[in-house]
Amino acid sequence: MWFPRLASDRVLRAHPLEAPFAITLKSNNTERIYCLNETAERLGLTRGMSFADARAFCHDLISQPARPDLDARFLAMLRRWATRYCPWVGRDGTDGLVLDVTGSTHLWGGEAEMLADIRARAMRSGLTLRLGCAETRGAAWAFAHYGSYQKGAVPSLESLPVAALRLVPDTVTALERLGLRTIGDLASAARAPLARRFGPELMLRLDQAMGHVPEPVTPDRDPPTYATRMSLPEPIGLAEDVMGIITRLLAPLCAKLDAHDMGARKLTLTLRRVDQGSQQVELRLAAPMRDPHRILPLFERGVGEMDAGFGIDQIRLEATQVEPLAAQQIGGQIGGQDHAPDRLDDLITRIGTRIGLDNVQRYLPADSHIPARAFLIAPVAYSGPDSSWSTLRPRPLRLFPPEPIAGHSPTPPDRFRWRRITFTTGRAIGPERIAPEWWIEDEAWRTGLRDYWKVDTREGRRLWLFYTPQSPGWCVEGEFV
């Protein structure tokens, strides 16, 4: 299976359009055409063409940057789909699949019927697909890229160009200059001189296509599934019984996670009732875990709210989201202290089950010299503590939108009224000039520069004031607590 327009088909399946469309990829500081649809090809655009030249040929060309990671995921999905035709499916480069259909074609009525079914399903899915079927992997690749499927594999293979042997372009060009343009010409030529000039790879590719050298298909290994289940001989309905079953399911699940150095971030508990209904309890963890003793108590709230109905006869536990987790000690005592896992993660998880993990947040430093933008708020479960908080001057613990006060002198006023209270300046430290970030559009900083002062009032309040030289005036923006 060869998908010549894999990248563009992936995008156009979600957003169909009839206009010329191209995927671009930056190479050597130049945007080039990486993939394009059939409409763009009919207009004369080709792969490898610079994007500037392509826009000159086609003014209404619609483009999108390439995402090789998403293309790889899409090809992995197609590989799983292809296992419906045979269990032995592997990847062939970045845009193809190779299937060993030996012993599987009779299930579809023969090779022709199987290929027809593949083409029909690909067409309905909006995929451009070219197929090649032969007794060898090399011949099948050649038919998919440079020919069409025929029952007589060897005669049709000899008429294909030498590029169908999966050779590098320089070797293909050199062979054509020697007059060896087809595989038949190459097969009838003397092998020794060709091997001395082009190396062993040329003869290896020829022998693989002809079937003289085997070329096995290596299927991709499916990712491990972290799930366990238990079918019960008699229905249960008590929360204590369900927790007991979860205890037995967690042990093999965590053992499998430990064997793969993984930790669970999200667990899904499915309770199937005797009336064929089911309930799910989803547990999102604040950090990757694989310790059953830590995970078990976190299910108590969800299990306590379940409706068992007439009874539960099957329980399934699955880790639906996992992350790498290095080996660590999860029990015992060291130096007289309990070396238990971090209790903070368990606390965050417990709170998150009530209000949602996204609502448990922490402050993190941001790359900005503007005080109001020098921090950001992120969920604790998906961010780590940052110890890079640093500033040359102290900042107030309380910040609020600027509140104007009376005054036009560059130095802080001796007396001013703020929030219906009159204050007297006792000590003023400053100024600290802060310039706006011109690359960010911010309505609050349209007045330009600000000169900040730390003012200790005789009434005991320590305020943070700033003066705007462009439009003289004073504002209070923070308070030191």
Side-chain angles (χ1 to χ4, degrees):
M1 294 183 182
W2 178 39
F3 303 92
R5 302 189 184 97
L6 180 71
S8 59
D9 287 346
R10 174 185 61 81
V11 177
L12 296 179
R13 287 178 73 248
H15 307 283
L17 55 88
E18 298 296 334
F21 176 79
I23 301 289
T24 63
L25 181 65
K26 192 171 185 178
S27 175
N28 297 329
N29 293 328
T30 303
E31 290 285 342
R32 296 191 178 276
I33 300 296
Y34 175 73
C35 188
L36 63 167
N37 65 348
E38 186 178 0
T39 305
E41 287 183 350
R42 287 199 300 263
L43 295 176
L45 305 185
T46 59
R47 291 193 180 193
M49 175 185 293
S50 68
F51 183 62
D53 294 340
R55 289 297 300 268
F57 279 102
C58 181
H59 298 285
D60 57 345
L61 178 65
I62 301 174
S63 64
Q64 193 173 107
R67 290 291 304 273
D69 55 335
L70 298 183
D71 296 339
R73 287 182 53 188
F74 187 47
L75 186 62
M77 296 172 56
L78 293 174
R79 189 200 68 82
R80 290 195 298 268
W81 163 76
T83 56
R84 73 189 311 271
Y85 297 100
C86 71
W88 217 250
V89 183
R91 301 193 192 193
D92 187 68
T94 59
D95 56 0
L97 300 173
V98 55
L99 292 72
D100 189 349
V101 295
T102 305
S104 301
T105 55
H106 70 281
L107 300 175
W108 304 90
E111 293 179 357
E113 289 75 9
M114 183 187 69
L115 297 179
D117 184 78
I118 295 175
R119 289 193 187 94
R121 291 179 181 272
M123 184 178 298
R124 288 197 298 268
S125 300
L127 297 175
T128 304
L129 175 63
R130 296 187 63 178
L131 297 172
C133 186
E135 296 180 358
T136 65
R137 177 177 178 176
W141 190 95
F143 292 141
H145 287 75
Y146 291 92
S148 58
Y149 169 71
Q150 297 179 8
K151 291 186 177 180
V154 176
S156 60
L157 180 64
E158 294 177 349
S159 62
L160 296 180
V162 291
L165 293 178
R166 296 171 290 175
L167 303 174
V168 296
D170 293 342
T171 302
V172 174
T173 303
L175 290 173
E176 291 177 347
R177 289 176 179 175
L178 294 176
L180 304 176
R181 301 183 179 278
T182 65
I183 297 178
D185 297 337
L186 183 62
S188 60
R191 297 173 60 93
L194 293 174
R196 284 195 301 268
R197 178 168 181 176
F198 297 101
E201 183 180 0
L202 174 62
M203 295 295 104
L204 176 62
R205 290 301 190 186
L206 178 62
D207 292 339
Q208 286 175 343
M210 293 295 186
H212 304 316
V213 176
E215 188 180 6
V217 176
T218 304
D220 290 357
R221 179 179 298 179
D222 292 327
T225 302
Y226 303 100
T228 56
R229 70 175 181 179
M230 181 178 294
S231 298
L232 307 175
E234 295 291 337
I236 60 175
L238 298 179
E240 294 79 2
D241 296 337
V242 175
M243 293 298 294
I245 300 298
I246 297 175
T247 303
R248 299 179 62 180
L249 294 178
L250 275 173
L253 178 63
C254 293
K256 189 173 183 179
L257 289 169
D258 184 47
H260 292 86
D261 292 331
M262 304 297 287
R265 282 300 297 263
K266 184 165 67 174
L267 292 162
T268 301
L269 178 69
T270 304
L271 310 173
R272 194 189 70 179
R273 302 185 304 202
V274 295
D275 59 358
Q276 302 303 314
S278 64
Q279 284 187 315
Q280 284 190 342
V281 177
E282 188 177 90
L283 179 63
R284 299 173 62 191
L285 304 175
M289 298 183 191
R290 58 168 178 256
D291 184 2
H293 301 291
R294 293 178 62 191
I295 298 175
L296 179 63
L298 304 177
F299 274 108
E300 292 178 352
R301 176 180 173 84
V303 172
E305 296 176 351
M306 71 174 185
D307 180 13
F310 294 102
I312 298 169
D313 61 357
Q314 186 183 90
I315 298 179
R316 185 175 190 269
L317 180 62
E318 180 182 8
T320 55
Q321 182 179 347
V322 296
E323 292 182 4
L325 180 62
Q328 58 183 354
Q329 183 168 344
I330 58 177
Q333 292 186 351
I334 295 180
Q337 297 182 354
D338 186 12
H339 190 67
D342 190 0
R343 299 300 181 185
L344 179 61
D345 293 337
D346 297 347
L347 175 63
I348 294 172
T349 301
R350 288 181 178 275
I351 298 175
T353 56
R354 295 175 177 269
I355 65 175
L357 280 179
D358 294 336
N359 296 322
V360 184
Q361 300 173 335
R362 64 158 49 100
Y363 288 96
L364 295 175
D367 187 14
S368 176
H369 64 271
I370 303 296
R373 291 202 292 263
F375 66 92
L376 54 88
I377 301 175
V380 176
Y382 308 109
S383 62
D386 197 323
S387 59
S388 62
W389 291 96
S390 63
T391 179
L392 298 177
R393 296 176 180 269
R395 296 288 184 250
L397 294 180
R398 294 180 56 193
L399 284 174
F400 38 80
E403 300 177 4
I405 59 174
H408 298 284
S409 172
T411 59
D414 295 334
R415 294 176 60 85
F416 60 92
R417 186 172 180 82
W418 175 63
R419 293 185 177 179
R420 301 181 180 180
I421 302 176
T422 302
F423 293 94
T424 304
T425 301
R427 183 180 63 170
I429 302 175
E432 177 190 359
R433 174 159 291 185
I434 298 180
E437 296 175 336
W438 55 266
W439 57 91
I440 298 178
E441 186 68 24
D442 191 347
E443 186 70 24
W445 282 78
R446 285 188 178 275
T447 53
L449 300 173
R450 293 181 182 180
D451 292 335
Y452 280 86
W453 293 75
K454 180 181 177 183
V455 175
D456 295 341
T457 64
R458 298 186 183 276
E459 289 74 18
R461 307 288 288 270
R462 305 171 63 197
L463 304 177
W464 208 39
L465 283 65
F466 69 83
Y467 172 74
T468 54
Q470 290 82 358
S471 54
W474 284 89
C475 292
V476 182
E477 190 179 4
E479 182 175 5
F480 294 88
V481 179

